[in-house]
Amino acid sequence: MYLAIDIGGTKTLLAVFSTQGKLLESNRFPTPPEYGDFLKTLEENYQKLKHLTDIKQVVVGAPGKIDRTTGTVVAYGNRDWTNTPLKADIKKIIKLPVTIENDANLAGLSEAILISHQYKKVLYVTVSTGIGAILVINGKLEPEYVDMEVGSMVFEHEGKIQQWEDFASGKALFEKYGRKASEIEEPAIWYEMSHNLALGLTNVVGSLTPEVVVIGGGVGAHFDKFADRLHEEMMIYNSPLVSLPSLRQAVRAEDAVIYGCYELAKQLEA
């Protein structure tokens, strides 16, 4: 069995999978604001799990920049924690092999494997509080791209230099209109969002040449509201030297990270 841990900004999810990928049980708790309190709460909730005796691997999805050599999370995307020895701290609690990986990378791995029978080179883009991306080739995370920060790409937008995620993320959408993606129906707003997304996405596609782009995250959950317009905007900026890939919505919303944990654990055991 494998244990998956998804550390989110508001909640942390623990899930136990069989080696065949069946979700056996899960436990969810609010993520405490302080790192020390988080570790205590994690241990309490881990002890509540029923399937503990046969766990072989633990994979943790952390939202931030990771030093994979030491298992340290240098900076979190949704917490002000810095340089936390997350791998060592979780091993003290669980006393099993622990692997730390970026949560968006794990979500992308999960989504890419779902369509691996159709596509071998998958770009997963999460549009949520910020914007992140990972390239998955032949069902595996591509090592040289695991630290991509595409949301930090800079553009001239509305007369000033801005990072892509500062004007095209879910956070940017909320800051401008005071509403979440789930609350927006106006085509004009989604047209604008599509334009802003296409600016950055065209650059990423041109650099990585994926066969398909999977859009996930909180904004990606509403892909049907902007899919057609995004494709049109991509066509405007597309170069004849670059083949425009298929665009599709992520299949898993809440559970993509934990299933990515499972897939990585399975690969580590192979």
Side-chain angles (χ1 to χ4, degrees):
M1 293 187 292
Y2 307 129
L3 174 63
I5 302 175
D6 175 14
I7 304 172
T10 58
K11 62 172 175 55
T12 293
L13 177 62
L14 285 73
V16 179
F17 288 90
S18 71
T19 53
Q20 291 75 37
K22 181 180 180 180
L23 179 59
L24 301 175
E25 65 172 318
S26 62
N27 193 3
R28 187 186 310 254
F29 63 88
T31 306
E34 300 297 330
Y35 181 68
D37 293 336
F38 162 73
L39 293 175
K40 292 178 183 176
T41 309
L42 175 66
E43 183 171 14
E44 291 170 0
N45 283 271
Y46 168 71
Q47 295 296 341
K48 293 177 183 178
L49 296 173
K50 299 174 183 177
H51 300 80
L52 297 179
T53 56
D54 295 322
I55 294 174
K56 299 178 180 179
Q57 291 278 349
V58 181
V59 176
V60 182
K65 183 178 180 180
I66 297 166
D67 182 334
R68 292 173 180 81
T69 303
T70 63
T72 298
V73 182
V74 179
Y76 289 75
N78 55 23
R79 281 285 183 269
D80 59 1
W81 306 342
T82 57
N83 296 312
T84 60
L86 188 63
K87 178 176 180 176
D89 287 339
I90 290 182
K91 283 190 74 171
K92 290 177 185 176
I93 295 170
I94 300 179
K95 298 177 177 62
L96 289 169
V98 175
T99 300
I100 309 294
E101 185 52 77
N102 175 270
D103 57 352
N105 291 354
L106 291 166
L109 177 63
S110 167
E111 292 292 332
I113 287 177
L114 286 175
I115 55 175
S116 59
H117 60 290
Q118 294 176 268
Y119 304 102
K120 302 304 179 187
K121 193 175 183 182
V122 179
L123 175 66
Y124 174 80
V125 179
T126 176
V127 186
S128 194
T129 302
I131 299 177
I134 182 62
L135 188 67
V136 182
I137 299 179
N138 293 323
K140 293 186 177 181
L141 297 175
E142 191 62 17
E144 63 182 296
Y145 298 115
V146 292
D147 291 318
M148 280 198 303
E149 289 293 340
V150 299
S152 298
M153 294 188 303
V154 294
F155 298 86
E156 183 177 355
H157 180 72
E158 296 183 344
K160 57 183 179 180
I161 301 299
Q162 300 184 55
Q163 292 186 349
W164 186 28
E165 62 187 19
D166 287 343
F167 62 88
S169 64
K171 180 181 179 182
L173 192 67
F174 184 81
E175 288 179 347
K176 185 167 185 176
Y177 294 102
R179 287 178 284 166
K180 299 177 181 178
S182 60
E183 301 169 327
I184 296 175
E185 299 294 338
E186 295 94 324
I189 297 178
W190 286 112
Y191 284 2
E192 179 187 10
M193 188 66 173
S194 298
H195 171 77
N196 293 343
L197 285 172
L199 284 175
L201 198 53
T202 303
N203 282 271
V204 180
V205 166
S207 299
L208 302 180
T209 62
E211 297 173 312
V212 62
V213 178
V214 179
I215 310 291
V219 174
H222 303 277
F223 187 67
D224 60 324
K225 296 179 181 179
F226 64 92
D228 292 342
R229 186 63 182 184
L230 178 60
H231 184 270
E232 292 172 6
E233 291 288 334
M234 293 285 290
M235 289 295 293
I236 292 172
Y237 297 114
N238 190 50
S239 164
L241 300 177
V242 179
S243 298
L244 187 66
S246 300
L247 304 175
R248 58 192 296 165
Q249 183 178 21
V251 174
R252 292 171 172 143
E254 293 293 317
D255 299 332
V257 175
I258 60 168
Y259 277 92
C261 290
Y262 160 75
E263 296 291 354
L264 183 56
K266 185 170 66 172
Q267 291 178 9
L268 291 169
E269 278 284 290

